Amino acid sequence: MKISFDNSFAQLPDGFYTRLHPTSVAAPKLLAFNESLSTDLGIAAATPDDIAAVFSGNEIPQGAAPLAQLYAGHQFGNYSPQLGDGRAILLGEVLAADGTRRDIQLKGSGPTPYSRMGDGRAWLGPVLREYVVSEAMHALGIPTTRALAAVATGENIWREQGALPGAVLTRIAASHLRVGSFQVFAHRAEIENLKTLTQYAIDRHYPQARGPMDLLRAVCARQADLVTRWMSVGFIHGVMNTDNSTISGETIDYGPCAFMDAFHQNRVFSSIDQQGRYAYGNQPGIIVWNMAQLATSLIQQCDDRDAAVQEATEIVHAMPQLLEDGWLTRFAAKIGIASPQAEDTKLIEDLLALMQKDGADFTNTFYALGTDQARDQFTDRAAFDLWAARWEQRIGSVDTARTVMAAANPAIIPRNHRIEEMIAAAVAGDMAPFERLMKALATPFEATDTELMRPPTAEQIVPATLCGT
Ligand code: AMP
Ligand code: MG
């Protein structure tokens, strides 16, 4: 297989990574391959066996410079001084058709010096979950890492549930730089490395930025935009640790993530998030906290420390307003308002409060606003009617608002119960539910597969997503 690598991260000093190869697997079998993405990346056509050999890690293509990246991070608020790619290997970078640089990374490719207690592997369930959800995000127009391939390893791995089939995901990203990539050098007082990384991040993602504080401002803007987009589709990331917040502003690390069915501000899916730190409604506050950690790290390289502290404080303190403005823009569009005013916040919040009280389905309620069926989503219809009267007065005519709503309210999201169903089928060797999800989620604003729009029945509800990924 021919891949035109153009590696830049591998040119950075030794302290940034460990060079090593993936651990080969017993019997690689291609489960899914993203043809259109591979074309964008300039990857030449190959047979399924060749694709499986490369994207399982069994064969290293020419020009690759495989390595595991070093980083640290706050996990649930506690600082872990050394994380790093514990089960991932960066094969290298390519220049995509649009001129942007992309990482090609294997996830689940065997142990590395950063594996700590882990086995370096992933099982089929989370691999396919990430494949489906990250591609759904992309189709929704939300910045995200993407999935190029899923390969079964032919080996079993052990998790809480017992023996499970192993798999490797090939992840494509604008880069894998995270807040934690900066934290590791700042906490170790490796200032030269911190400076080198800062310049690398600027060159790669924000070439117009003139120094660390400009970089901080740019990342804050991207992350604020990203989180408001998540909020607008009912997405709960689930593990917003600082090692899972990117510098590029892409969504990364689809672990115990989920799209909400019934709306609730405090909704949590992750089975290990006992305190609800990463609940739906906490996400804007958490991203500000994560950006404060980035600020703290970046400051360490500034000669005029006091001036840097002051500037960084201003930048981070400006974030809540960015998030509020972004939230208003996105949610106003969801109720058909293209140019929101401050008073619209109340109108939106009142609708969300009604939805929360009635346990209305997040996706279907907004979608139904555009098809005049929204009333059916509520049990307290009188309350909805009162809200709808205010709404109609604000928007004038539902018809003109319809176009705005159609672009903001997806019909189809990857519902948790459908993902679980898809995983169970895939484990049994049936990829049809996977294919069906991928097909419908490619055009999420079109109601192409109405069965996939249905919320889970009481028996189908998946209360939590296991963290044993
Ligand atoms: P995550 O919660 O997926 O962001 O992972 C946090 C850290 O744990 C990262 O350093 C991962 O590389 C590492 N990790 C997660 N699962 C494994 C595993 N099965 N084997 C080795 N390292 C892992
Ligand atoms: Mg992670």
Side-chain angles (χ1 to χ4, degrees):
M1 176 185 290
K2 186 157 172 357
I3 303 178
S4 300
F5 285 103
D6 181 22
N7 306 326
S8 65
F9 193 85
Q11 323 261 316
L12 292 171
D14 284 347
F16 285 62
Y17 50 78
T18 302
R19 290 187 195 273
L20 84 164
H21 279 201
T23 308
S24 53
V25 302
K29 182 172 169 279
L30 187 63
L31 296 172
F33 189 60
N34 194 333
E35 292 282 354
S36 74
L37 180 56
S38 84
T39 305
D40 285 350
L41 300 176
I43 296 174
T47 66
D49 283 352
D50 288 341
I51 296 170
V54 169
F55 297 120
S56 61
N58 275 14
E59 213 169 87
I60 303 300
Q62 212 185 356
L67 58 84
Q69 294 184 336
L70 169 73
Y71 53 85
H74 279 92
Q75 300 182 299
F76 291 90
N78 302 307
Y79 188 65
S80 302
Q82 194 197 289
L83 296 168
D85 291 332
R87 54 164 165 178
I89 300 269
L90 178 68
L91 286 182
E93 301 146 36
V94 293
L95 297 175
D98 64 1
T100 59
R101 181 174 292 278
R102 302 274 151 180
D103 278 4
I104 302 180
Q105 191 204 56
L106 304 183
K107 184 174 173 185
S109 46
T112 77
Y114 313 115
S115 297
R116 296 170 296 158
M117 308 299 281
D119 60 1
R121 293 294 181 192
W123 78 273
L124 185 62
V127 164
L128 293 182
R129 169 183 282 271
E130 173 158 348
Y131 197 114
V132 169
V133 182
S134 65
E135 286 301 303
M137 278 297 217
H138 174 74
L140 286 165
I142 300 179
T144 177
T145 64
R146 299 197 56 193
L148 178 65
V151 181
T153 60
E155 296 172 0
N156 275 339
I157 63 168
W158 280 264
R159 293 290 181 264
E160 313 162 45
Q161 306 95 308
L164 297 163
V168 176
L169 177 80
T170 303
R171 179 159 73 179
I172 305 301
S175 85
H176 284 83
L177 301 182
R178 319 130 191 276
V179 172
S181 312
F182 289 83
Q183 287 182 290
V184 71
F185 294 138
H187 280 257
R188 291 178 180 179
E190 292 181 9
I191 303 305
E192 273 319 302
N193 283 343
L194 184 62
K195 285 183 177 170
T196 302
L197 183 66
T198 302
Q199 195 53 51
Y200 179 82
I202 289 174
D203 292 343
R204 186 157 176 181
H205 296 297
Y206 305 98
Q208 69 294 352
R210 290 161 292 102
M213 290 303 110
D214 248 16
L215 172 64
L216 176 65
R217 193 177 288 107
V219 179
C220 285
R222 289 272 179 96
Q223 283 289 349
D225 179 61
L226 178 66
V227 172
T228 53
R229 286 173 188 263
W230 289 353
M231 301 298 281
S232 77
V233 293
F235 180 72
I236 302 166
H237 181 282
V239 238
M240 287 179 71
N241 294 335
T242 58
D243 56 302
N244 294 335
S245 282
T246 56
I247 298 304
S248 66
E250 286 182 341
T251 311
I252 198 169
D253 224 323
Y254 293 84
C257 64
F259 284 76
M260 247 188 309
D261 297 302
F263 176 70
H264 202 292
Q265 289 285 0
N266 300 337
R267 190 75 175 92
V268 177
F269 280 93
S270 168
S271 58
I272 59 163
D273 191 2
Q274 299 293 342
Q275 315 292 316
R277 179 180 171 91
Y278 300 138
Y280 173 78
N282 284 356
Q283 297 182 120
I286 290 292
I287 199 60
V288 177
W289 195 89
N290 287 357
M291 290 301 103
Q293 306 315 312
L294 177 62
T296 305
S297 296
L298 286 171
I299 285 166
Q300 309 304 317
Q301 67 193 290
C302 299
D303 295 327
D304 187 345
R305 200 64 72 86
D306 290 343
V309 168
Q310 197 184 338
E311 192 175 1
T313 305
E314 279 164 22
I315 294 167
V316 175
H317 283 186
M319 245 192 121
Q321 191 62 50
L322 279 184
L323 283 153
E324 257 177 58
D325 294 347
W327 183 91
L328 179 57
T329 303
R330 304 248 161 242
F331 275 84
K334 292 181 79 66
I335 62 169
I337 299 169
S339 315
Q341 293 159 5
E343 309 85 76
D344 295 327
T345 300
K346 177 93 175 78
L347 189 62
I348 298 161
E349 282 176 350
D350 288 349
L351 175 64
L352 291 172
L354 285 181
M355 287 165 63
Q356 178 159 320
K357 180 168 76 77
D358 285 5
D361 185 85
F362 183 85
T363 305
N364 289 358
T365 302
F366 283 106
Y367 185 77
L369 284 177
T371 57
D372 301 322
Q373 314 280 309
R375 195 171 189 268
D376 303 344
Q377 301 290 326
F378 293 86
T379 45
D380 186 350
R381 299 202 171 157
F384 175 76
D385 290 341
L386 285 174
W387 181 85
R390 286 164 60 205
W391 175 52
E392 274 162 38
Q393 199 171 17
R394 170 65 179 93
I395 58 174
S397 115
V398 180
D399 278 344
T400 42
R402 234 184 273 280
T403 327
V404 179
M405 287 190 277
N409 297 327
I412 301 185
I413 45 132
R415 291 184 186 272
N416 230 350
H417 66 293
R418 291 293 181 180
I419 292 180
E420 295 296 331
E421 201 178 86
M422 172 278 287
I423 291 170
V427 169
D430 175 13
M431 291 298 284
F434 171 88
E435 303 294 347
R436 179 182 174 185
L437 276 175
M438 289 302 294
K439 181 159 184 273
L441 290 165
T443 54
F445 295 96
E446 291 164 33
T448 51
D449 189 335
T450 50
E451 232 181 280
L452 294 182
M453 294 172 69
R454 277 194 218 134
T457 61
E459 302 78 59
Q460 286 174 322
I461 288 177
V462 182
T465 44
L466 274 179
C467 211
T469 59

